[in-house]
């Protein structure tokens, strides 16, 4: 395994951001993390040649999640948000040792069509228009500007804002609505190309995610060279396989 890791993994860096997660998170662009989506079922594509799944929320392991980055040896990198009980470096090395990051049929992988429709095309769903956070959408209305250069600059700035990504922890209130209890913000500087990609690691016993990945580095390297030949993972991996020293490790690794 160590030899397989060497070509891609360079380092893991822990950032200062952390959030408390209760049991459910929203992951994606501004519209993907609208609070009302924490109570909605996933939406599957119907008809057409493009298959996708819009996940409204994911179940996550309760506890503290830390924000970090994983650097690849060729200079690219990706965001890694992981539970406090796991070793971020160990998770990063594992991700660099397997393929599957570009395989959209894996449930734990977000392809370019599975999310970020607002970022990609400026799309706002019907349910978003009726969201009780509607005031957030009002600020998307741009005043007309007759200066073409100014218009172009505004469009570029607007796209940069739409490209921001978030992991939002939510909690259900007594009235059944959800409230935000924490948020990690990720810029898109890690993206090399036109699309956003992501994935998660899920413990098969609890069915709870303990790590979230955002970036295109592993997808691009997988499609561009021999890394595609590495063992394919479905990203259902026991949390204890990456546990810190005070946690018991799985006898299978």
């Amino acid at each position: 395994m160590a030899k397989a890791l060497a070509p891609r993994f360079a380092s893991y860096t822990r950032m200062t951001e952390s959030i408390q997660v209760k049991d459910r998170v929203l992951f994606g662009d501004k519209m993907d993390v609208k609070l009302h989506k924490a109570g909605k079922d996933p939406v599957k594509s119907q008809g057409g040649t493009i298959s996708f799944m819009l996940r409204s929320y994911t179940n996550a392991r309760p506890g503290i999640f830390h924000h970090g980055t994983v650097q690849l040896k060729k200079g690219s990198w990706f965001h890694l948000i992981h539970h406090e009980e796991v070793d971020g470096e160990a998770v990063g090395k594992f991700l660099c040792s397997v393929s599957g990051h570009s395989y959209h049929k894996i449930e734990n992988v977000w392809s370019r069509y599975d999310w970020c429709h607002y970022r990609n095309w400026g799309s706002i769903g019907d349910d978003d228009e009726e969201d009780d956070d509607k005031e957030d959408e009002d600020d998307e209305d741009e005043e007309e500007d007759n200066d073409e250069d100014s218009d172009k600059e505004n469009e570029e700035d607007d796209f940069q804002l739409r490209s921001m990504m978030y992991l939002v922890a939510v909690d259900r209130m007594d009235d059944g609505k959800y409230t935000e209890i924490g948020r990690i913000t990720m810029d898109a500087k890690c993206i090399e190309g036109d699309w956003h990609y992501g994935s998660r690691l899920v413990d098969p016993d609890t069915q709870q995610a303990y790590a979230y990945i955002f970036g295109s580095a592993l997808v691009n390297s997988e499609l561009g060279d021999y890394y595609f030949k590495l063992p394919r993972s479905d990203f259902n991996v026991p949390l204890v396989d990456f546990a810190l020293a005070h946690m018991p490790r799985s006898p299978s690794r």
Side-chain angles (χ1 to χ4, degrees), residues 9-177:
F9 180 83
S11 64
Y12 163 79
T13 302
R14 165 86 176 276
M15 312 292 280
T16 57
E17 272 188 306
S18 296
I19 59 171
Q20 177 78 43
V21 170
K22 187 169 183 180
D23 59 5
R24 186 170 291 194
V25 301
L26 303 168
F27 187 33
D29 67 20
K30 178 180 177 179
M31 292 301 167
D32 291 331
V33 299
K34 286 291 185 178
L35 290 176
H36 70 285
K37 293 189 175 179
K40 291 187 175 293
D41 295 328
V43 178
K44 292 184 178 181
S45 59
Q46 296 182 359
T49 58
I50 297 173
S51 175
F52 62 84
M53 168 78 78
L54 294 176
R55 302 171 182 83
S56 37
Y57 68 88
T58 66
N59 294 318
R61 183 173 180 82
I64 301 295
F65 276 70
H66 301 308
H67 184 193
T69 60
V70 174
Q71 187 84 22
L72 275 63
K73 286 192 173 181
K74 291 186 177 181
S76 55
W77 60 281
F78 58 90
H79 293 274
L80 172 61
I81 300 174
H82 63 87
H83 197 276
E84 61 182 340
E85 293 176 343
V86 301
D87 183 341
E89 180 173 331
V91 171
K93 288 180 177 179
F94 167 77
L95 293 169
C96 289
S97 73
V98 298
S99 66
H101 307 283
S102 64
Y103 195 61
H104 68 277
K105 294 183 179 181
I106 296 175
E107 184 179 359
N108 293 323
V109 170
W110 278 265
S111 76
R112 60 189 186 181
Y113 299 111
D114 290 330
W115 61 352
C116 300
H117 289 194
Y118 174 63
R119 177 264 182 189
N120 296 340
W121 305 289
S123 302
I124 299 177
D126 293 339
D127 57 344
D128 292 310
E129 294 177 354
E130 300 173 359
D131 184 10
D132 55 5
D133 292 328
K134 191 174 185 302
E135 66 273 10
D136 290 339
E137 291 148 21
D138 294 337
D139 61 19
E140 299 300 323
D141 297 329
E142 300 287 341
E143 295 183 359
E144 292 187 4
D145 192 329
N146 294 325
D147 186 285
E148 294 184 0
D149 292 335
S150 179
D151 283 345
K152 183 176 181 180
E153 183 177 343
N154 288 340
E155 290 176 4
E156 291 175 351
D157 289 344
D158 182 56
F159 182 73
Q160 291 301 317
L161 291 173
R162 297 206 318 263
S163 296
M164 298 297 290
M165 298 289 285
Y166 310 93
L167 184 81
V168 176
V170 299
D171 188 17
R172 187 172 183 175
M173 299 181 290
D174 292 339
D175 61 3
K177 293 183 179 180

